[in-house]
Amino acid sequence: MAENKTKATDMSVDAFLAAVEHPVRRADGETLRALMARATGEPAVMWGPSIVGFGSYHYRYASGHEGDAPRVGFSPRAANLVLYVGGFAEYEELLARLGKHKRSKACLYLNKLPDVDAAVLEEIVRRTYAATEGVEGCPVC
């Protein structure tokens, strides 16, 4: 079985965020770090080289593949902010109020934080974090 590439590391979250080249993306990263820490009560930890995660959970698929992942997280990528905040079927009402965003199966993509309602975003983070409590299997896949 292949080993997971994205694991919690000892890399400095401060150093990672300080190294984000784009000043708006860097500031948004600091703001997201504070928002997610407040919503989860967890410290920020680097997962792999580019994901800032909060908390962790163990998952196991029916195929036998298993690993650990952050309960919520984000990455300030060049094109946009990527937020790892779960499946969205139960979040439709919140997403309708969130503001400008795109999404995939388990990620939100934001151009910049002022485009969204911070209180709604924090509620999405809080719900995703709670949904991964004691999870077996992937709650967002």
Side-chain angles (χ1 to χ4, degrees):
M1 191 114 354
E3 187 175 337
N4 288 345
K5 294 179 183 174
T6 304
K7 297 179 180 179
T9 71
D10 291 333
M11 282 179 48
S12 165
V13 174
D14 290 333
F16 170 71
L17 291 174
V20 173
E21 288 186 32
H22 193 281
V24 171
R25 195 78 70 232
R26 184 171 49 249
D28 284 352
E30 291 289 354
T31 301
L32 275 174
R33 176 189 189 174
L35 181 148
M36 288 188 171
R38 183 174 56 251
T40 66
E42 299 273 2
V45 173
M46 290 301 301
W47 285 75
S50 63
I51 296 173
V52 179
F54 299 81
S56 68
Y57 71 96
H58 187 78
Y59 63 86
R60 181 179 299 120
Y61 296 125
S63 67
H65 178 79
E66 61 183 299
D68 296 301
R71 291 172 68 175
V72 296
F74 72 92
S75 186
R77 309 248 186 226
N80 47 37
L81 297 164
V82 181
L83 284 69
Y84 305 96
V85 290
F88 299 111
E90 64 275 14
Y91 298 166
E92 289 301 327
E93 179 267 329
L94 287 169
L95 290 169
R97 295 186 294 123
L98 179 62
K100 187 177 176 183
H101 70 279
K102 293 182 182 178
R103 58 184 159 159
S104 66
K105 193 171 189 178
C107 298
L108 281 178
Y109 301 92
L110 310 177
N111 288 329
K112 55 188 181 298
L113 283 181
D115 288 345
V116 299
D117 182 316
V120 173
L121 182 58
E122 190 164 340
E123 181 61 21
I124 290 170
V125 170
R126 197 175 288 113
R127 287 188 189 186
T128 300
Y129 183 80
T132 55
E133 181 70 36
V135 168
E136 277 296 320
C138 180
V140 297
C141 302

